[in-house]
Amino acid sequence: MLIWLNGKLVDSKNAKISVFDHGLLYGDGVFEGIRSYNCLVFKLDEHIDRLYASAQAISLKISLTKQEMKKAVVDTLKSNKLKDAYIRLVITRGEGDLGLDPRNCSKPTIFIIADKIALYPQEFYKKGLTIVTVPTRRNIPEALNPQIKSLNYLNNILGKIEAINAGVPEAVMLDQNGYVTECTGDNIFIIKDKVLFTPHVCVGILNGITRCAVLGLASKMGLKTSECMLTRFDLFNADEMFLTGTAAEIIPVVKMDSRLIADGSVRPLTLKLIEKFKGLTKTQGVRYAL
Ligand code: PMP
């Protein structure tokens, strides 16, 4: 496997970074998870825009232009001869000393990994997921804004550990006031009386690329959409529930906190959105040839 590391494609055995890299020492950096479908990098422009916005929010200057960064992603896919892939693009503050001061880091470390995609088991898409709400609260935006896709994912990992301990694959995280934010690695949606609801970005969530795509699809389908404040009450009373993310795409949820959502089956509007989303993955993005 070839890794794009600081401008060169190197074998994964030789893709090494310093133990003094602040990405490792402090989680000081940003990243993206991107996907390619049959030689189409899905929503690459949107992912690159979000990456640069995350970097800007932590005062991290990226040496490459957006165009150069997109080319690096495509070069990594091509050199690994991957038609369908999961791409991890990481930018750290770079090698520094043992202090926090980012000014002592010489230059950002940039690397891109393109690998086969690890998916949720297919039966989850047919039968739906069971999830729980967990005690760990999502980071408050005033401390570390979840809109920044930073290398500091410990908040999400603590939520994930609680989900795993409860015997389920995903967890809903609430904010300090008990409002629903998102799951540990996915955004959350409900449908009630033919209106699609999802938490507003202001509550403290990552503004998912899949989330935006689904809001757009729903409008085109004639569904009303609302980005708002949601509580567990709203989730328990939903007609349908699903999660969205680059890896998961759209995955139905049928049970939360041991309670069935509606009748506990995967419902028609969710299935229709899944179908429509498949269409987007064939058309929206940057194409490359192997
Ligand atoms: N929320 C969090 C915390 C995430 O890490 C992710 C990405 N895995 C998402 C939401 C979904 O975002 P996207 O649709 O851009 O993958």
Side-chain angles (χ1 to χ4, degrees), residues 31-33 47 50 86 138 149 153 156 182-187 206-211 244-247:
F31 76 101
E32 276 299 316
H47 280 285
R50 186 172 67 183
Y86 182 79
R138 191 74 177 103
K149 199 163 169 64
Y153 251 51
N156 312 57
E182 60 182 336
C183 292
T184 67
D186 296 304
N187 292 113
L206 183 73
N207 192 3
I209 308 289
T210 323
R211 173 183 183 275
T244 64
T246 294

Side-chain angles (χ1 to χ4, degrees), residues 25 45 47-49 90 112 124 148 163 171 182 185 208-209 219 233 237 242 260 265 269 286:
L25 287 177
D45 289 344
H47 280 285
I48 298 297
D49 285 348
V90 180
I112 306 170
F124 286 177
I148 304 169
E182 60 182 336
I209 308 289
S219 296
F233 175 92
N237 283 285
F242 59 85
L260 291 182
S265 68
L269 287 171
V286 170

Side-chain angles (χ1 to χ4, degrees), residues 196-264:
L196 181 69
F197 295 93
T198 197
H200 197 281
V201 171
C202 291
V203 77
I205 61 166
L206 183 73
N207 192 3
I209 308 289
T210 323
R211 173 183 183 275
C212 294
V214 165
L215 285 168
L217 278 178
S219 296
K220 277 203 184 131
M221 278 164 55
L223 284 178
K224 276 201 192 123
T225 64
S226 170
E227 295 170 71
C228 58
M229 306 299 274
L230 296 171
T231 63
R232 287 171 81 235
F233 175 92
D234 302 309
L235 302 195
F236 288 136
N237 283 285
D239 298 329
E240 309 191 27
M241 187 187 295
F242 59 85
L243 313 182
T244 64
T246 294
E249 301 174 319
I250 299 174
I251 190 158
V253 176
V254 292
K255 205 185 222 187
M256 187 185 91
D257 296 342
S258 305
R259 305 193 202 182
L260 291 182
I261 304 306
D263 66 357

Side-chain angles (χ1 to χ4, degrees), residues 118-182:
L119 297 169
Y120 273 126
Q122 204 47 42
E123 64 166 286
F124 286 177
Y125 291 86
K126 288 201 191 101
K127 293 186 188 155
L129 278 188
T130 296
I131 61 173
V132 291
T133 47
V134 287
T136 297
R137 299 298 169 113
R138 191 74 177 103
N139 283 335
I140 57 167
E142 294 79 6
L144 175 55
N145 195 323
Q147 274 186 268
I148 304 169
K149 199 163 169 64
S150 85
L151 292 181
N152 208 311
Y153 251 51
L154 204 45
N155 179 229
N156 312 57
I157 291 165
L158 292 175
K160 182 86 175 177
I161 289 168
E162 287 167 344
I164 293 163
N165 288 345
V168 297
E170 245 308 2
V172 182
M173 300 182 81
L174 307 176
D175 77 350
Q176 294 306 294
N177 301 311
Y179 288 107
V180 174
T181 62
E182 60 182 336

